[in-house]
Amino acid sequence: MFCNQCEQTAKGTGCTKVGVCGKQPDVAALQDLLIYALQGLSLVTAQARAKGVSDAAVNRFINEGVFSTLTNVDFDPARFQVLINEAVAHREAIKLRAGLTVDNPAATFTPAATLEGLVAQGEQHGISEALEAHEDLRSLKQILIYGLKGVAAYADHAAILGHEDESVYEFVQRALVKSLENLGVDELVGLCMECGQINLKAMELLDGGNTGTYGHPVPTEVPLGPKKGKAILVSGHDLKDLGLLLEQTAGKGISIYTHGEMLPCHGYPELKKHPHFHGHYGTAWQNQQKEFSEFPGAILMTTNCIQKPVESYKGNIFTTGLVGWPGVTHVGKDFSTVIEKALEMPGFAADEDKGSVLTGFARNAVLGVADKVIAAVKSGDIRHFFLVAGCDGAKPGRNYYTEFVEKVPQDCIVLTLACGKFRFFDKKLGDIGGIPRLLDIGQCNDAYSAIQIASALAGAFGCGVNDLPLSMVLSWYEQKAVAILLTLLSLGIKGIRLGPTLPAFITPTVLNVLVENFDIKPLTTPDEDLKAILG
């Protein structure tokens, strides 16, 4: 195997024996084969679309398939076998429906009948085998494919809530087709920038789905201590799964807790109205083995960020949607099995006060006090804004973000989003004229909110976003972060500081292009970076 799509890839170059994430070589090969099958399916759908034939179910399926290959989503070989065969079945059905003959190996290959045979086929379509021989072209193609995985994730979240756009599906499929071709630097760079723009659309769709269904987030104090009684912990990202679980557990004496990126859900009015939606437990995804082992209830894993479950809680954790792990019970949207397990388990023995954190500062909440923010900037009370955001991870070096936030001067505001916040989410930074100095905007997809906030402030000050007293200090781990970075670059945002390490799939030549055109900077130390930013 060879996989270098996440920040924690072995030795900073690539996982070759087993994934640091827990991905086994067979799953890596099956994921590569699924992408190949989806490229072939996209060849057919693109030609069918040109003839006026577009299948909504197939559009959804392609996005789900691409999302399934994103880091920490699905580790179950049997499920990939199903997806690969389903991709080919869709491919052949659309050929017949649209009267197509497509002469390309990706659009004609026959999947092996056995799992072992599929793994062998997948080994012929990995990065080294399937992408460009020229390392810089391969690097750009990887950036595109990994960005597509992030786009597919956000588009799938949005579609679950009924928000879809044909232009997103068209681009994902067209880019998958283009990734099969021998392209030059200019065309690949153009596709990467277009990927960033399409990701903005996907995040806008998801924002519309979340706020249209559950209301705009409002500032909310979230308890960190448990409540006596039975409990269910929800991790991942999916608001609809949480909403369904809250409805199904009403009146059953079970308290619902969030974990990881589900923390911002406490700010949504239609979710927080449930009296048994209690608080937040634990921190980021990479700590779940320890934290889940200590949780005295059932655990529901939605979408991505699952780690290999340890025996202490393997019988208590359930997956739903696209997430999966071999041997872990997978459930649909009837969570009765999860509820039964929670009622069997001891729950928390007593109430415990562990303090609280604030969340719910998405764009409506922040822009609702924009006049105060603007006045504070003009008066000099607020000197600078820092967006310290992105993914958390286990690799050493991420204490940088904790130290950075601790050292941000008292006259500066810290905006944050995604699970990177767990390096400092419980820090008490105080306020500036009633405006909290630490504002939790939300999940990783709420980068859309951050962009809207920055754009509104730029409009108010009559300048461009790059001219605002705003600096972005970002952490990355997986492919949704790649998509968000492409969005920021496509919007012309410059001067981003990125870490804790730079992606292994970006070659020195490509990095130089990013530095020259977008002034991307690798992290140094908190003191040096703060001095460079603030002078």
Side-chain angles (χ1 to χ4, degrees):
M1 69 175 285
F2 181 82
C3 181
N4 64 356
Q5 68 178 6
C6 84
E7 190 268 337
Q8 291 186 178
T9 194
K11 299 180 182 178
T13 56
C15 295
T16 57
K17 295 182 179 178
V18 64
V20 172
C21 64
K23 181 165 60 178
Q24 297 299 309
D26 59 344
V27 172
L30 291 167
Q31 289 183 349
D32 290 338
L33 186 60
L34 177 58
I35 291 293
Y36 185 65
L38 294 171
Q39 289 169 319
L41 174 56
S42 295
L43 272 165
V44 173
T45 59
Q47 292 190 26
R49 186 177 279 107
K51 297 180 70 171
V53 176
S54 180
D55 189 312
V58 174
N59 288 338
R60 283 287 304 275
F61 171 78
I62 292 173
N63 269 30
E64 289 173 354
V66 174
F67 183 12
S68 294
T69 70
L70 187 144
T71 301
N72 289 8
V73 177
D74 193 352
F75 295 81
D76 191 340
R79 292 179 65 182
F80 282 107
Q81 183 175 24
V82 172
L83 287 169
I84 292 163
N85 286 320
E86 192 172 348
V88 172
H90 282 309
R91 185 190 77 196
E92 296 307 305
I94 293 176
K95 282 182 187 178
L96 286 174
R97 181 178 165 192
L100 296 173
T101 300
V102 184
D103 185 19
N104 184 289
T108 58
F109 94 97
T110 300
T114 65
L115 198 55
E116 294 76 12
L118 289 173
V119 170
Q121 286 180 320
E123 289 169 349
Q124 303 306 310
H125 297 287
I127 294 168
S128 302
E129 295 80 10
L131 299 185
E132 305 284 349
H134 190 287
E135 64 173 3
D136 296 328
L137 295 176
R138 183 169 65 246
S139 176
L140 288 168
K141 199 168 279 190
Q142 285 180 269
I143 293 170
L144 175 62
I145 291 172
Y146 298 158
L148 288 175
K149 294 187 181 191
V151 173
Y154 294 136
D156 183 64
H157 292 325
I160 286 169
L161 293 168
H163 286 241
E164 300 177 72
D165 190 297
E166 180 74 14
S167 66
V168 176
Y169 295 130
E170 185 278 332
F171 175 76
V172 169
Q173 292 162 35
R174 172 162 51 88
L176 284 171
V177 172
K178 285 291 185 182
S179 68
L180 284 169
E181 300 175 6
N182 293 319
L183 305 175
V185 170
D186 290 345
E187 190 168 7
L188 282 168
V189 169
L191 284 166
C192 287
M193 292 301 98
E194 190 176 357
C195 184
Q197 287 294 317
I198 288 295
N199 187 58
L200 182 63
K201 167 58 72 175
M203 290 193 298
E204 180 185 16
L205 290 168
L206 178 53
D207 179 86
N210 285 339
T211 59
T213 307
Y214 303 108
H216 283 275
V218 296
T220 302
E221 199 89 28
V222 183
L224 296 177
K227 185 178 183 180
K228 181 180 178 180
K230 307 295 185 180
I232 295 176
L233 184 64
V234 184
S235 193
H237 297 79
D238 199 289
L239 272 63
K240 186 169 184 179
D241 287 338
L242 174 61
L244 291 172
L245 181 67
L246 286 166
E247 292 171 2
Q248 293 175 32
T249 50
K252 295 185 181 295
I254 300 173
S255 293
I256 307 300
Y257 298 81
T258 55
H259 177 270
E261 288 235 49
M262 298 299 284
L263 168 61
C265 296
H266 290 275
Y268 286 89
E270 289 301 306
L271 295 175
K272 64 183 292 183
K273 72 180 183 182
H274 294 275
H276 60 300
F277 188 24
H278 175 62
H280 187 77
Y281 173 91
T283 52
W285 65 272
Q286 78 277 4
N287 301 318
Q288 66 187 250
Q289 289 181 335
K290 178 179 184 298
E291 293 170 353
F292 288 4
S293 291
E294 297 170 353
F295 189 76
I299 302 161
L300 179 64
M301 202 77 210
T302 74
T303 62
N304 62 307
C305 289
I306 193 171
Q307 275 195 309
K308 180 180 180 179
V310 296
E311 289 303 317
S312 59
Y313 65 85
K314 194 171 183 180
N316 311 331
I317 189 170
F318 302 83
T319 59
T320 190
L322 296 180
V323 70
W325 194 282
V328 169
T329 302
H330 192 77
V331 297
K333 302 311 173 186
D334 174 356
F335 297 127
S336 55
T337 308
V338 184
I339 294 167
E340 289 168 8
K341 175 57 70 172
L343 293 172
E344 290 173 9
M345 296 187 68
F348 287 101
D351 293 352
E352 192 173 351
D353 184 0
K354 292 186 176 182
S356 62
V357 293
L358 267 174
T359 192
F361 292 97
R363 70 180 192 283
N364 266 30
V366 175
L367 295 179
V369 294
D371 55 339
K372 293 182 181 179
V373 172
I374 293 164
V377 173
K378 289 181 176 179
S379 69
D381 291 335
I382 296 177
R383 176 169 37 150
H384 205 84
F385 297 90
F386 292 94
L387 177 63
V388 186
C391 313
D392 203 2
K395 200 171 182 179
R398 290 179 179 267
N399 58 317
Y400 167 97
Y401 298 95
T402 309
E403 187 179 345
F404 186 96
V405 168
E406 290 174 341
K407 291 183 174 181
V408 165
Q410 293 293 313
D411 58 356
C412 298
I413 299 282
V414 176
L415 307 168
T416 191
L417 54 86
C419 63
K421 71 169 69 77
F422 289 107
R423 293 286 166 169
F424 49 80
F425 80 124
D426 54 354
K427 301 291 180 186
K428 304 303 180 185
L429 302 185
D431 65 271
I432 299 175
I435 301 168
R437 288 190 56 238
L438 180 60
L439 300 175
D440 180 9
I441 297 173
Q443 295 183 334
C444 57
N445 55 280
D446 291 311
Y448 178 78
S449 262
I451 290 167
Q452 296 306 307
I453 291 167
S455 298
L457 290 175
F461 286 109
C463 65
V465 171
N466 290 320
D467 300 315
L468 286 171
L470 168 68
S471 298
M472 298 187 184
V473 182
L474 307 183
S475 56
W476 81 284
Y477 171 67
E478 38 92 313
Q479 298 80 67
K480 285 188 287 185
V482 176
I484 291 172
L485 179 62
L486 291 177
T487 295
L488 295 174
L489 298 183
S490 73
L491 292 170
I493 306 297
K494 296 185 177 182
I496 296 169
R497 283 172 164 78
L498 182 64
T501 58
L502 294 176
F505 51 82
I506 293 183
T507 62
T509 301
V510 173
L511 176 60
N512 188 54
V513 171
L514 293 174
V515 171
E516 287 185 355
N517 289 280
F518 300 102
D519 195 25
I520 282 187
K521 307 172 190 289
L523 303 181
T524 59
T525 68
D527 288 321
E528 290 174 5
D529 288 342
L530 280 167
K531 183 178 180 181
I533 293 167
L534 296 174

